[in-house]
Amino acid sequence: MRTHYCGQLNAQTIGQEVTLCGWAHRRRDHGGVIFIDLRDRQGLAQVVCDPDRPEMFKIAETIRNEYCLKITGKVRARPAGSTNPNIASGEVEILCHEIEVLNPSITPPFQLDDENLSETVRLTNRVLDLRRPQMQKNMQLRYRTAMAFRRYLDQAGFIDIETPMLTKSTPEGARDYLVPSRVNDGQFFALPQSPQLFKQLLMIAGFDRYYQIVKCFRDEDLRADRQPEFTQVDIETSFLNESEIISIMEDLIRTVFKEAIGADLPNPFPRLPYAEAMRRYGSDKPDLRVTLELTEITDAVKDVPFKVFANVANSENGRVAALRVPGGASMTRGEIDGYTEFVGIYGAKGLAYIKVNDVHQPNETGLQSPIVKNLTETALTTILTRTGAQSGDLIFFCADKTKVVNDALGALRVKLGHEKGFVNGNAWEPLWVIDFPMFEYDEEDKRWVACHHPFTSPKDEHVDLLATDPGKCLAKAYDLAVNGWELGGGSVRIHRADVQEQVFKALGIGEEEARLKFGFLLDALKYGAPPHGGLAFGLDRIATMMAGAESIRDVIAFPKTQRAQCLLTNAPSEVDEKQLRELHIRLRNVKTDAKAEAKA
């Protein structure tokens, strides 16, 4: 039906007769000559309709926005001074010979070039929203990214194997999406949070190198970078150690960024132990574009009269840290109060500060702050030395539980860095975070929980700690962060049944529960399971970052809202009583009328 896409027209096509198909982006009547901007997935083309072809011109007069059109005409150069360098076909236009309305359109609820649309309007009218040029670009970028992953993995000997969508519920992390079984009364499948166990089984089965671009599901609270259903590039390989897996995955992500957007990532990526990342940046996915760093001062304030610092510094899980802001002494009290309010989001009770007016006088003469009089000169000297403070700087302080301090100052570091220009100017800053702890202690449940998942292997030298001191046990785990976003995470897996059983025991999972939930894995590990490991990249997040979008909803064709709803189809929705009966389900806490209750 068509000979070219709109975006394929250029100076080399001048003189050719072409047929285009697309939508009327805009129609303009210029004193007897009608211009139609025709749009397809490749871009825009300007169509000129002259009145010397009366039949064609009469149709052109009826065209309105979003009419689906087929246009035949001759490519010619645009008149001098009317070229448009912002579009691919900006040097040329099409003199229209024939025009056919393939389908008219009712008036759209919004203009497709309106950049101030609410997300609710966009998601409710997602089909039209997807026609917008920016969304077309985003979806094509996502496709190029996925294909770059496939090409690399195919060439590296990985094979694409599908794993089940209906599987066993093993609620160890986020909540599962449950699917009732009609033919097995009272029993449920779960939609997979990850193909984790199946890809391990594929390694035991001898497939050596596996990958899959796969949908996963988690019933959890949503944010800009979360969706109830998301897509990951799932990868697993055998007979490689932790460092070798990282090297392959690093080369993969460098190749993907180069092919998809032409970006050159550094070679090699830096590697940073988890403990150091938390100490310096307060985050296990630090944005290395920001040049600010946290400074540890817990030991320096244990004996100061300022009890807010001293009490925390002497507590078992307390941290006192500082964040130096070069030139920050010029900040107003209003700005400081604003940053204090910001860290409150992360649970911080306050944000102390010192303005360094004269770094050579570590006392109330050279330092301006309500807390200076309650800090010893020794402590102040240590703080100035460790932070590298200079006259004219400002130092923020946070004292609380370690997690609160890390979350609060880590977020403040990024906010200040980008707002005040403390960035290094690099477009992309990738980083491997390694040597994660195996476990973290859940204060509410009073037990150890897995930092990654319970199938992550401990460091060889830490296996004995599983029984004696789980909190000191480090894992063969690694995450890839780029510009403050976690793009992927993985680990070397446990390939011996006895070690897996020790990990379950450390997690408080008894033998009976382990057999019930993971017996199939424990049995498979006993049949000569090879050493294996892998990683999963978040395709949605990678595409979002490459596109410079604010939310992953901008790179997903039909996303859910933060309430896990699809505004286009009005899902989730109620189902009728017959469907519920077939599934052996009766709803609780739902208002029903007397007739519905009688049917039940």
Side-chain angles (χ1 to χ4, degrees), residues 297-304 306 309-311 313-314 320 375 379 383:
I297 61 165
T298 306
D299 61 313
V301 295
K302 285 188 173 183
D303 301 319
V304 299
F306 189 43
F309 282 6
N311 289 345
N314 286 286
V320 186
L375 299 177
I383 290 169

Side-chain angles (χ1 to χ4, degrees), residues 131-329:
R131 287 185 186 176
R132 295 192 307 122
Q134 186 57 54
M135 289 302 299
Q136 294 273 318
K137 290 178 183 177
N138 287 356
M139 298 311 298
Q140 290 186 53
L141 171 59
R142 182 189 175 102
Y143 165 73
R144 292 198 306 274
T145 303
M147 289 307 298
F149 272 111
R150 287 191 183 280
R151 277 191 296 271
Y152 183 98
L153 292 168
D154 289 343
Q155 291 169 6
F158 290 79
I159 59 174
D160 185 351
I161 303 177
E162 295 178 355
T163 53
M165 282 290 106
L166 296 175
T167 184
K168 185 180 180 66
S169 178
T170 54
E172 274 300 308
R175 286 183 294 272
D176 287 328
Y177 274 101
L178 298 178
V179 180
S181 171
R182 181 182 60 82
V183 296
N184 297 283
D185 188 357
Q187 297 184 329
F188 294 80
F189 294 106
L191 299 179
Q193 297 187 31
S194 153
Q196 179 62 47
L197 296 180
F198 285 105
K199 67 181 180 180
Q200 287 191 245
L201 294 174
L202 286 170
M203 294 302 102
I204 300 171
F207 284 97
D208 191 46
R209 291 192 171 195
Y210 141 96
Y211 84 95
Q212 185 182 187
I213 297 181
V214 61
K215 281 281 189 183
C216 300
F217 306 84
R218 291 179 188 171
D219 186 7
E220 59 184 350
D221 296 333
L222 307 181
R223 299 196 298 268
D225 61 344
R226 296 275 177 91
Q227 282 279 290
E229 54 177 317
F230 56 96
T231 305
Q232 66 184 39
V233 184
D234 202 55
I235 305 168
E236 196 80 2
T237 183
S238 299
F239 304 113
L240 294 178
N241 61 32
E242 183 179 357
S243 184
E244 290 168 330
I245 294 172
I246 288 175
S247 293
I248 291 177
M249 296 302 105
E250 180 177 314
D251 189 51
L252 164 61
I253 209 70
R254 252 195 309 271
T255 302
V256 168
F257 268 70
K258 181 65 174 178
E259 290 190 9
I261 59 172
D264 291 308
L265 300 187
N267 186 9
F269 297 173
R271 301 184 187 185
L272 192 67
Y274 169 87
E276 186 178 350
M278 300 305 293
R279 177 174 57 82
R280 293 171 58 186
Y281 305 112
S283 172
D284 60 359
K285 47 182 183 295
D287 186 347
L288 295 190
R289 296 173 300 174
V290 176
T291 56
L292 304 176
E293 291 192 20
L294 278 56
T295 302
E296 183 65 55
I297 61 165
T298 306
D299 61 313
V301 295
K302 285 188 173 183
D303 301 319
V304 299
F306 189 43
K307 296 304 180 185
V308 172
F309 282 6
N311 289 345
V312 169
N314 286 286
S315 66
E316 183 179 356
N317 190 32
R319 182 184 188 192
V320 186
L323 179 65
R324 177 175 74 93
V325 184

Side-chain angles (χ1 to χ4, degrees), residues 254-446:
R254 252 195 309 271
T255 302
V256 168
F257 268 70
K258 181 65 174 178
E259 290 190 9
I261 59 172
D264 291 308
L265 300 187
N267 186 9
F269 297 173
R271 301 184 187 185
L272 192 67
Y274 169 87
E276 186 178 350
M278 300 305 293
R279 177 174 57 82
R280 293 171 58 186
Y281 305 112
S283 172
D284 60 359
K285 47 182 183 295
D287 186 347
L288 295 190
R289 296 173 300 174
V290 176
T291 56
L292 304 176
E293 291 192 20
L294 278 56
T295 302
E296 183 65 55
I297 61 165
T298 306
D299 61 313
V301 295
K302 285 188 173 183
D303 301 319
V304 299
F306 189 43
K307 296 304 180 185
V308 172
F309 282 6
N311 289 345
V312 169
N314 286 286
S315 66
E316 183 179 356
N317 190 32
R319 182 184 188 192
V320 186
L323 179 65
R324 177 175 74 93
V325 184
S330 61
M331 280 191 202
T332 66
R333 184 54 192 264
E335 285 183 289
I336 293 172
D337 289 346
Y339 290 126
T340 303
E341 185 177 345
F342 172 76
V343 298
I345 299 171
Y346 299 90
K349 301 179 184 67
L351 193 63
Y353 71 92
I354 292 176
K355 289 187 176 183
V356 184
N357 295 326
D358 185 351
V359 72
H360 301 295
Q361 298 190 66
N363 48 46
E364 290 185 73
T365 302
L367 305 177
Q368 178 185 344
S369 168
I371 69 171
V372 170
K373 61 180 179 293
N374 292 316
L375 299 177
T376 64
E377 189 163 322
T378 299
L380 289 168
T381 299
T382 301
I383 290 169
L384 295 174
T385 301
R386 286 189 187 176
T387 60
Q390 302 295 319
S391 299
D393 292 351
L394 179 141
I395 306 172
F396 281 121
F397 301 89
C398 190
D400 212 307
K401 291 183 178 179
T402 298
K403 184 179 187 314
V404 172
V405 172
N406 290 343
D407 290 349
L409 283 189
L412 181 62
R413 167 186 172 270
V414 175
K415 183 177 177 66
L416 278 167
H418 288 289
E419 287 184 353
K420 300 295 185 180
F422 299 112
V423 291
N424 60 22
N426 295 336
W428 305 104
E429 284 285 3
L431 167 74
W432 286 106
V433 178
I434 60 174
D435 297 346
F436 279 84
M438 275 283 290
F439 310 101
E440 56 186 354
Y441 195 72
D442 188 318
E443 292 287 351
E444 186 175 334
D445 292 340
K446 304 299 180 186

Side-chain angles (χ1 to χ4, degrees), residues 18-228:
V18 298
T19 299
L20 306 176
C21 294
W23 289 266
H25 188 66
R26 191 178 291 103
R27 172 190 171 278
R28 294 163 285 143
D29 193 333
H30 286 195
V33 177
I34 294 175
F35 292 88
I36 298 172
D37 292 334
L38 192 70
R39 186 191 68 247
D40 61 23
R41 75 178 197 184
Q42 296 289 343
L44 294 170
Q46 179 171 280
V47 179
V48 181
C49 303
D50 285 336
D52 57 357
R53 296 177 184 264
E55 194 172 317
M56 175 274 296
F57 192 79
K58 185 176 181 180
I59 297 174
E61 288 180 312
T62 69
I63 301 301
R64 298 293 181 267
N65 286 4
E66 299 311 309
Y67 274 36
C68 186
L69 306 175
K70 175 183 175 183
I71 288 175
T72 300
K74 195 169 188 177
V75 182
R76 69 183 186 186
R78 290 198 189 194
S82 65
T83 57
N84 184 353
N86 297 319
I87 61 175
S89 65
E91 294 180 277
V92 299
E93 61 187 17
I94 296 88
L95 180 61
C96 186
H97 295 167
E98 297 177 17
I99 186 167
E100 179 183 349
V101 177
L102 298 175
N103 208 345
S105 170
I106 62 174
T107 302
F110 56 84
Q111 289 283 82
L112 267 64
D113 52 4
D114 185 350
E115 296 298 326
N116 297 310
L117 295 171
S118 74
E119 189 172 59
T120 298
V121 170
R122 290 179 55 203
L123 295 182
T124 303
N125 302 277
R126 189 59 163 185
V127 174
L128 290 177
D129 185 47
L130 286 170
R131 287 185 186 176
R132 295 192 307 122
Q134 186 57 54
M135 289 302 299
Q136 294 273 318
K137 290 178 183 177
N138 287 356
M139 298 311 298
Q140 290 186 53
L141 171 59
R142 182 189 175 102
Y143 165 73
R144 292 198 306 274
T145 303
M147 289 307 298
F149 272 111
R150 287 191 183 280
R151 277 191 296 271
Y152 183 98
L153 292 168
D154 289 343
Q155 291 169 6
F158 290 79
I159 59 174
D160 185 351
I161 303 177
E162 295 178 355
T163 53
M165 282 290 106
L166 296 175
T167 184
K168 185 180 180 66
S169 178
T170 54
E172 274 300 308
R175 286 183 294 272
D176 287 328
Y177 274 101
L178 298 178
V179 180
S181 171
R182 181 182 60 82
V183 296
N184 297 283
D185 188 357
Q187 297 184 329
F188 294 80
F189 294 106
L191 299 179
Q193 297 187 31
S194 153
Q196 179 62 47
L197 296 180
F198 285 105
K199 67 181 180 180
Q200 287 191 245
L201 294 174
L202 286 170
M203 294 302 102
I204 300 171
F207 284 97
D208 191 46
R209 291 192 171 195
Y210 141 96
Y211 84 95
Q212 185 182 187
I213 297 181
V214 61
K215 281 281 189 183
C216 300
F217 306 84
R218 291 179 188 171
D219 186 7
E220 59 184 350
D221 296 333
L222 307 181
R223 299 196 298 268
D225 61 344
R226 296 275 177 91
Q227 282 279 290

